[in-house]
Each structure stands twice: as C-alpha cells, then as structure tokens.
Amino acid sequence: MTRFVVKLGTSVLTAGTDRLHRPYFVELARQIVRLKADGHEVVLVSSGAIAAGKERLGADPRRRSNIPLKQVFAAVGQSRLMHIYEQIFDLYGLQVAQALLTRDDLRDRRRYLNARNTLTLCLAQGIVPIINENDAVATAEIRVGDNDNLSALVAGLIDADLLLILTDIAGLYSADPRTDPTAELLREVPVIDERIWAMAGGSGTHRGTGGMQTKIQAADLATRSGVAVVIAAGHEPDVIVRVANGERIGTYFPATTSHPDARQRWILAETVRHSRIVIDEGAAMALIQYGKSLLAAGIREVNGEFDRGQTVRIFDLAGREIARGLTQYRSSDLRLIAGLRSHQIGPVLGYDYGPEIVHRDDMVVLATKE
Ligand code: GLU
C-alpha cells in the first residue's frame, strides 16, 4: 500500500481555460478509483477555489484582484469546488471530505496532531480527503501562501510515501522550455542544490499562485520529511495511475531521509522562512558531529524576526543550512546574547530560559557527518 498526496494546481483543474474543466474531474475520479482498488490511499490538495469563485461571480478571470476580493472569490468558490468534487466523485462511489488548513493549524502541535488524526481516520474509512488553504480567513502571517508548499506540509503531516505535484508543465527543465529550445526535462533530481534552485527561476501562469520555485520548495521540504516527489503534467493520460505503478513520468525527487519521526516532521513543517542563525565552525561541528545543542557562544549572526518556540534555520559560515529547530529565545533576545557565555544570558536579558538556544531534542540536523 502506498499513501499518495496528489496536488492539483488551478491550471490543471481548468485545463488551461478560465473555468473548472468538469471532464478533468471525471478523469481524476476514474484514476482514483483504480488506485484505491489497488489498495492505495489518496489525499488531494486542490486549488481552484478562487477560479471557481470568479467563474460563479462572473469576474474577469484574467484580472488581478486584491486580497480581500480574492478572499471573497475563495469563500464563494470553495463550496462550488467541493460541490463539483462531490457530484462527480459520487458517480464513481467515492466519498470525499474537506479540510481547510492554514499554516497556523500546522504550527500548533495539538492542532497539527488533530489534523493528522482526522485525515488518517478519513483514509482508514476509505474517504478521499480534499485539502485547500483556508483562504477566506487566512491573513498573510498565517498563510502557507501556495498549495505547492501546503501539499508538502500535508505529505509530511500524514506520513505519505509520495507527493505527486500535477501542473501544466511536464516537470523541471534545465531552462525555461517556453523560451529556450535547448531546455531539457530532468528525469531525476537526487539533491536540490543551487543549480536546481537556479533552474526553478521565478514566474508562473496567471491562474495559479506557484511557479516552479514553490514546487522546488515543496520538493525540498517533502524529501527532507521522507516523502518522494514527482512533478508531472496533469494532462498526461492516466498520469496518477502510471506513477502509482512505478512508471517514470516527469521529474522524480527521491526522499533524502527515511521517514523522520513525527515530531521531527512537525519541527520542519513550522519553519520561519526568513529566519537565519549563523553559527561558527565549532558550534557547527558540535551540532553535526557530536549531537550537541546550540548554545549562545557559537552564534555569530541572527537575521529575521521570530518568536520563542518557532522553528528557525541554522546556517554555517559558508552559508550551508545545517539544521532547523525550535528556538528557546526570540530573535531580538538572540541578537543581544549572540556570542555570550551561557551564564551571561540572565544578567543581560533579565531572565533566562536555560543555556540551550536550540535544544538537541528540538532539532533536525540536515547536514551529514563528514
Ligand atoms: N488556494 C488557492 C485556490 O484554491 C490556490 C493557491 C495555489 O494555487 O497555490 O484557489
């Protein structure tokens, strides 16, 4: 049995038009029935709410809308989107469930575990959960922002084996295939390094939020969480069934770790994107080679704003990200105590949460021992 998360972008669900393309939903249902018959489990992360809202309200689909208006479109469109899933999947005897999440739901450990329970129980009952961001209520601070990253978070949340990101392009190319005739499709990406980030470039279509950039972010997070990723074209015939049968389609990213435990996945999921703690060589060695906690003395630089209890990114002097973990001190405090000995923390801040800035038990080391 394989547990799949299938991410469907707006451009796939509209088949490149300005409306949700009903025949695609039929095609989707047909493939999911086959997967389930083979004993697999499927969770969908579906965009398309905003497109559905525009369709319903008769808005010009190409016009950029401001955020409040987008939230109205999402509020109207989400129920319409689910209505289509309900109607069409019902014809194939598939039961669906809706879960709308924000980053905040995944940040709070109790809510995270609860979401995990609900989704796992749905799967156990043979129900197909369909997930989207809760766009109608989410503000910038609590949003994931794009469904590529959301799908990676969900894949980690439910311990999926494979995340299949379906989009309007056949996978990751060495250059932009729309403008560069020498662009080649990459079949497999064993590590996501600078070269790969450069290939991902920017931009996307006007219909979805993410371009290749957010897909690579998603692949990065998912593969670190022990989930393999495939990026492929949604219009490829029988793509879901064929990927499930092990056929190589699109670009494949193998998982870079075997499944980390649930707590580690949660730590990774919650990362403050712009956080950056730079540590010196000694501290890096202590973390990677000796399995130690991070202390104030080894900290050289603190960038970004974060609170106590959030997941921060830890870099070495060469700019390599070596770990992520829950910080015991907020960013403004850390700037004051960076480089100090542990006994100086109390006198400088007037309080003290202990000598560990990031405790070993709250840390996921990304770099490997040399
Ligand atoms: N949540 C948005 C929607 O349903 C889509 C976000 C995305 O495509 O990344 O329309």
Side-chain angles (χ1 to χ4, degrees):
M1 188 270 286
T2 304
R3 183 173 283 181
F4 290 94
V5 173
V6 180
K7 188 263 170 180
L8 301 149
T10 302
S11 58
V12 172
L13 295 174
T14 56
T17 68
D18 292 327
R19 297 167 56 84
L20 293 176
H21 190 62
R22 276 54 172 186
Y24 192 80
F25 287 77
V26 172
E27 188 48 37
L28 201 59
R30 211 180 45 72
Q31 293 191 55
I32 292 174
V33 167
R34 283 176 60 188
L35 243 64
K36 290 190 59 189
D38 288 340
H40 301 310
E41 293 177 335
V42 188
V43 172
L44 299 183
V45 173
S46 174
S47 303
I50 295 175
K54 286 186 171 176
E55 181 182 320
R56 181 74 184 85
L57 296 175
D60 179 353
R62 276 160 206 281
R63 244 180 84 191
R64 290 220 167 259
S65 341
N66 56 27
I67 305 250
L69 197 54
K70 272 194 191 156
Q71 293 189 292
V72 171
F73 289 140
V76 171
Q78 183 61 35
S79 67
R80 191 168 177 80
L81 177 66
M82 284 311 293
H83 184 66
I84 297 174
Y85 274 116
E86 273 273 4
Q87 273 190 325
I88 294 177
F89 279 37
D90 197 39
L91 297 173
Y92 289 82
L94 293 171
Q95 278 180 331
V96 298
Q98 167 184 271
L100 300 179
L101 301 173
T102 62
R103 186 176 284 282
D104 244 17
D105 298 317
L106 304 172
R107 201 172 266 165
D108 180 279
R109 178 126 178 105
R110 287 211 332 262
R111 273 149 81 180
Y112 180 90
L113 292 175
N114 202 31
R116 176 182 162 87
N117 280 345
T118 307
L119 294 176
T120 318
L121 274 175
C122 280
L123 290 174
Q125 309 261 336
I127 298 167
V128 180
I130 302 179
I131 297 170
N132 197 356
E133 179 133 45
N134 197 351
D135 290 318
V137 302
T139 55
E141 299 75 41
I142 64 163
R143 293 189 73 196
V144 177
D146 65 86
N147 278 4
D148 294 322
N149 278 290
L150 179 65
S151 68
L153 292 169
V154 168
L157 176 75
I158 60 161
D159 214 347
D161 301 289
L162 190 109
L163 166 61
L164 173 57
I165 299 182
L166 293 180
T167 181
D168 54 2
I169 177 167
L172 177 66
Y173 283 85
S174 56
D176 187 342
R178 289 168 301 190
T179 52
D180 188 340
T182 67
E184 271 178 47
L185 180 69
L186 275 67
R187 290 279 162 207
E188 181 163 341
V189 177
V191 270
I192 298 173
D193 54 19
E194 286 312 316
R195 209 173 47 97
I196 299 297
W197 287 113
M199 285 175 194
S203 84
T205 61
H206 68 276
R207 292 188 188 87
T209 312
M212 208 30 95
Q213 191 87 36
T214 52
K215 291 179 180 51
I216 301 302
Q217 282 169 5
D220 188 45
L221 173 58
T223 53
R224 287 183 197 286
S225 308
V227 182
V229 177
V230 173
I231 300 177
H235 58 72
E236 185 77 44
D238 273 336
V239 60
I240 305 177
V241 171
R242 284 162 61 201
V243 168
N245 288 338
E247 196 177 319
R248 279 298 175 91
I249 304 179
T251 305
Y252 176 70
F253 302 75
T256 52
T257 57
S258 55
H259 284 266
D261 66 34
R263 185 172 161 77
Q264 290 192 323
R265 290 201 306 274
W266 174 71
I267 290 173
L268 288 172
E270 205 263 351
T271 310
V272 180
R273 232 183 258 178
H274 302 294
S275 61
R276 195 178 178 94
I277 297 181
V278 181
I279 63 175
D280 65 22
E281 256 167 50
M285 180 111 98
L287 260 55
I288 302 168
Q289 310 282 8
Y290 305 118
K292 296 279 203 277
S293 298
L294 176 65
L295 306 181
I299 299 180
R300 286 287 187 84
E301 209 181 298
V302 178
N303 297 317
E305 298 307 320
F306 46 82
D307 266 332
R308 174 173 148 78
Q310 291 195 297
T311 299
V312 293
R313 308 168 60 167
I314 303 170
F315 294 79
D316 66 11
L317 290 174
R320 184 168 65 129
E321 185 178 0
I322 57 175
R324 292 184 188 182
L326 303 179
T327 171
Q328 294 296 330
Y329 293 84
R330 59 169 171 263
S331 47
S332 51
D333 287 351
L334 273 187
R335 286 190 189 98
L336 297 172
I337 59 175
L340 299 186
R341 307 237 139 243
S342 301
H343 69 264
Q344 294 174 293
I345 295 178
V348 169
L349 296 182
Y351 55 85
D352 191 327
Y353 293 118
E356 293 91 6
I357 306 303
V358 177
H359 194 281
R360 188 67 200 177
D361 296 345
D362 297 333
M363 191 187 295
V364 181
V365 175
L366 307 173
T368 44
K369 283 188 191 175
E370 265 142 38

